[in-house]
Amino acid sequence: FYVVSIRRDVSDYTDFDRANWTIADFDSQEPTGEGADNGHAVNAIDNNPNTYWHTQWQAAQPGLPHYIVVDMGESKFVHGIRFLDRQDQNDGKPQNVQVFLSDDNKNWQLVLTTELANTTALQQLLMDKFTSGRYVKVLVTSTYGAKFYTHLAELYLFETLKY
């Protein structure tokens, strides 16, 4: 018997098409303090690394944890997630994060618990458990700089291997 092992890197996985993704829920967004083009939850899936979702800080200051829920439009078998944070701010970057999947936006299954790096680089992570779901919830439980707010430029999910 021979054991064949092929080493795969997370960059070997293909991102899901986000064209039909929508924001299903969020706990907070900053509607005015980040300017007209920033702060809104939808910016986390708009394919523009220069825009971002930011939780509220101007009129109110809700505390952690913060979350955002994406509806992928259909159930997908998910292998991993990619985070791209705001490119011009260190304080408030997500530090400790949990990722959940659901088919009904009510019953959630925890698929990843991780500590993200304090970086503007794309962070690519395989799920602790490969499973399917239509909805993905990212729950930020702590931030760099111990801030009450958080932000995120882009969120991607991936499944299939590139060949």
Side-chain angles (χ1 to χ4, degrees):
F1 291 97
Y2 293 95
V3 175
V4 177
S5 176
I6 300 173
R7 185 167 186 256
R8 292 283 185 181
D9 186 83
V10 291
S11 62
D12 292 330
Y13 292 81
T14 303
D15 290 337
F16 288 117
D17 181 3
R18 300 184 308 163
N20 295 319
W21 287 15
T22 59
I23 299 299
D25 196 11
F26 55 87
D27 75 301
S28 175
Q29 67 179 1
E30 179 52 58
T32 58
E34 295 295 320
D37 295 330
N38 279 310
H40 300 279
V42 71
N43 291 343
I45 58 170
D46 70 352
N47 289 313
N48 183 347
N50 297 311
T51 62
Y52 50 87
W53 163 56
H54 198 297
T55 58
Q56 191 174 20
W57 59 265
Q58 190 170 51
Q61 298 181 350
L64 293 165
H66 291 297
Y67 69 87
I68 187 170
V69 177
V70 175
D71 179 356
M72 296 186 287
E74 63 183 336
S75 188
K76 297 178 183 283
F77 195 75
V78 180
H79 283 162
I81 190 165
R82 302 185 214 279
F83 294 93
L84 182 66
D85 209 335
R86 183 176 174 177
Q87 299 296 290
D88 64 349
Q89 176 71 27
N90 283 328
D91 284 347
K93 279 185 173 30
Q95 182 174 8
N96 290 294
V97 175
Q98 293 178 323
V99 179
F100 301 84
L101 287 175
S102 170
D103 277 318
D104 61 6
N105 199 15
K106 293 177 184 160
N107 299 296
W108 295 96
Q109 182 174 11
L110 179 64
V111 294
L112 178 66
T113 299
T114 192
E115 181 173 347
L116 297 175
N118 188 6
T119 181
T120 57
L122 184 67
Q123 298 184 64
Q124 309 177 92
L125 303 158
L126 288 171
M127 300 294 190
D128 294 336
K129 182 187 301 186
F130 299 163
T131 191
S132 64
R134 174 177 173 164
Y135 299 89
V136 60
K137 177 190 274 187
V138 174
L139 181 71
V140 179
T141 59
S142 69
T143 63
Y144 284 97
K147 299 299 181 182
F148 63 87
Y149 57 81
T150 195
H151 37 75
L152 185 64
E154 294 296 321
L155 179 66
Y156 308 89
L157 294 170
F158 56 85
E159 174 196 31
T160 56
L161 290 172
K162 296 176 186 175
Y163 292 102

